[in-house]
Amino acid sequence: MFRKSFAVVAVLIVGGLVAAAVGSIADPESVVIPDPIERDLGDILERDTLVALTSYTSTSYFLYRGQAFGFEYELLRDFAEDQDIVFEIKVVPPDSILYYLNAGLGDIAAARLQPVDEDTSRFGFTVNLYETQPVVVQATPSADTADVVAPEVPEAIAERRGQVQGGDVPTEPVTIKARPVRRPADLAGQEVFLPEDDPYVDRLVELQDRITGDIRVVEVDTTSEALIRNVAVGNIELTVAQENVAQLEEGYYENLVVQPAVGSPHGVAWAVRDNAPALRAALDEWIVENRETQRWNQLYRKYYVDRRGYRERIETGFLTGETGNLSGYDDLLKRYAPTVGWDWRLLASQMYQESRFEPRAQSWAGAMGLLQIMPATAQDLGLEDPYDPEANVEAAARYLKWLEENYWADEIADPAERIKFILASYNAGAGHVLDAMRLTEAEGGDRAVWDDVAYWLLQKSDPDVYNRPEVRHGYARGLEPVHYVSIILERFAHYQQFVEGEEGADAVPSQERVES
């Protein structure tokens, strides 16, 4: 009951770590989509958790400056909140998303999906979230892009252009020798690069049947955004993309030309298993009710119209899915997280919660620096300059280790549970957590299980509770430490899906492949 009052998005803990991105299926053509598991809305509500599958894109789901964002991510989070259930999100490769949906890894697929005949016969698609259309993306040599961020060159493009992978990638436009494409028929005899298994491959095949000349389609294991950027810097000449996505890139790479359209407008929707009609109906009803609201329109503008915001995300270097960076302090986090025996991404999530990665941050209570160390604690730790990033991180790591050794190492045997008690103690003080443990035990709960203890920590703002004999440290605003633990672990789950740990990327075991 209390859990929903402080967090909608949950963290999936597997052996003490949060499950992260799933591996791609090596050869999707050799894999048969499994029959759908039996799980509809009633089962989801009973389980109290909705799991969405997505893929990294610049608009659907991404990390920026340590925080999760995305049009579909925020909408699905709102839907789950309206249903009063927990929301989880898992990153899977785009060519495997429907496979994993039927296999039961998630309940909804949300990754700018276009309902096409091949898929609509096997999956249930919601009403449209919005409409867009396929457009040709090409470049002119006139604009200066010397200051733009150079894209990675996918291996297939490097090989086709005679480049050596890992070599120099041009960042300035080159003279485009191909004739401009002013109408769809101009694609005859041209080479067009598309992401693997992109629905626009079929659109180009249909177009080819109506024009004179072949369209040479090259499928590449990369994103639409990456192909657009390779067009901008001259590595390739043409791609076809969703218009709203291409227009965002046009706001950054000013030499791009986003036209002509090569097909009719189409919807973008979410997919569910075809044996989950109740879930589909609930999603349809929610979308129709919300699609014209101010909130929906604000989100669409935020992710698809605001070119200035998009440019800022690219230029800062902290669009994590592309740069691998969470903050400017990743090296410090990696250096000092072993002091407490934590994954550096967990310490990064705590740092974001404390200061939003701002080294000069100071709270109303006087806490200072990246990990918001209180003056008395700084004095005990011998921390002379709490605003010095390295000194602050080093001292905070020592303090976290001190909390573990002096309060929780013997008390909480499970390492994953112990992390929650340490975090709560860092936020509210170990005394209040110990009070909640005594209350838990007095009421027949398990004092070593955080969910049991969190309930009683929440009650410590009630005079009938904080005046009980088990309570030695008086009143506490228990919502703060309970939310603190939950949101840090939630964010840690996001970080694990985008950034490698010291031992490499975490992964959910791959689904078994079925050979055709």
Side-chain angles (χ1 to χ4, degrees), residues 72 93 270 334 374 463 487:
E72 292 176 272
W270 292 327
K334 293 173 184 177
M374 293 292 287
I487 201 68

Side-chain angles (χ1 to χ4, degrees), residues 8 53 59 125 128 175 195 204 220 226 229 241 270 383 400 414:
V8 173
L53 303 179
T59 57
F125 283 85
N128 294 339
T175 300
L204 291 181
V220 184
R229 294 166 197 174
W270 292 327
L383 177 60
L400 288 164
D414 185 322

Side-chain angles (χ1 to χ4, degrees), residues 245-512:
V245 175
Q247 287 173 340
L248 270 183
E249 295 289 345
E250 184 185 26
Y252 182 67
Y253 294 96
E254 297 176 357
N255 66 321
L256 288 174
V257 177
V258 180
Q259 60 179 333
V262 291
S264 302
H266 62 79
V268 170
W270 292 327
V272 300
R273 288 176 290 275
D274 65 0
N275 61 352
L279 175 59
R280 179 181 176 183
L283 287 166
D284 282 348
E285 181 181 0
W286 186 85
I287 292 168
V288 170
E289 286 179 355
N290 288 274
R291 199 165 43 191
E292 303 301 324
T293 62
Q294 184 178 11
R295 162 72 172 167
W296 191 291
N297 291 328
Q298 285 175 339
L299 287 177
Y300 188 85
R301 292 187 61 82
K302 175 180 178 180
Y303 291 110
Y304 286 106
V305 180
D306 182 5
R307 294 186 177 190
R308 179 181 297 178
Y310 185 71
R311 188 179 185 95
E312 179 183 331
R313 295 198 291 273
I314 297 292
E315 290 181 340
T316 58
F318 296 122
L319 189 58
T320 301
E322 298 185 7
T323 66
N325 298 321
L326 286 172
S327 72
Y329 307 102
D330 290 4
D331 288 343
L332 293 179
L333 292 161
K334 293 173 184 177
R335 187 178 308 153
Y336 293 109
T339 299
V340 67
W342 282 8
D343 186 311
W344 73 273
R345 296 165 296 182
L346 174 58
L347 190 58
S349 181
Q350 185 184 15
M351 180 186 287
Y352 180 89
Q353 187 64 26
E354 291 287 356
S355 69
R356 301 301 193 267
F357 300 134
E358 293 293 338
R360 303 295 301 179
Q362 182 172 359
S363 77
W364 66 271
M368 300 168 286
L370 286 169
L371 280 150
Q372 292 290 280
I373 298 176
M374 293 292 287
T377 306
Q379 185 174 0
D380 290 342
L381 293 168
L383 177 60
E384 296 181 359
D385 182 5
Y387 298 109
D388 176 81
E390 181 162 11
N392 187 283
V393 176
E394 186 275 334
R398 280 194 288 117
Y399 181 52
L400 288 164
K401 186 63 175 177
W402 181 85
L403 286 171
E404 178 177 35
E405 291 179 340
N406 285 270
Y407 290 99
W408 310 118
D410 295 330
E411 192 69 61
I412 311 298
D414 185 322
E417 287 294 292
R418 191 184 311 144
I419 285 172
K420 301 170 190 176
F421 285 82
I422 296 170
L423 287 171
S425 301
Y426 191 98
N427 177 261
H432 290 301
V433 181
L434 289 168
D435 282 349
M437 291 175 71
R438 284 187 287 269
L439 288 166
T440 301
E441 193 170 37
E443 295 296 327
D446 189 337
R447 60 181 284 132
V449 173
W450 172 249
D451 282 355
D452 289 4
V453 174
Y455 175 82
W456 285 103
L457 191 53
L458 287 167
Q459 310 311 309
K460 283 200 67 192
S461 59
D462 183 345
D464 290 338
V465 174
Y466 67 70
N467 286 316
R468 286 178 53 165
E470 296 90 352
V471 176
R472 302 173 187 174
H473 297 85
Y475 169 89
R477 290 188 60 188
L479 182 61
E480 291 183 9
V482 171
H483 175 74
Y484 183 83
V485 171
S486 176
I487 201 68
I488 287 173
L489 292 178
E490 172 202 324
R491 191 179 301 110
F492 178 40
H494 293 298
Y495 288 3
Q496 287 188 296
Q497 301 201 75
F498 284 93
V499 185
E500 288 192 356
E502 293 297 86
E503 302 301 323
D506 304 311
V508 173
S510 297
Q511 300 289 329
E512 181 180 351

Side-chain angles (χ1 to χ4, degrees), residues 54-58 60-63 91-92 94 223 225 229 319-322 498:
T54 191
S55 298
Y56 165 77
T57 72
S58 62
S60 293
Y61 176 58
F62 59 91
L63 286 185
V91 174
V92 300
T223 65
E225 288 92 332
R229 294 166 197 174
L319 189 58
T320 301
E322 298 185 7
F498 284 93

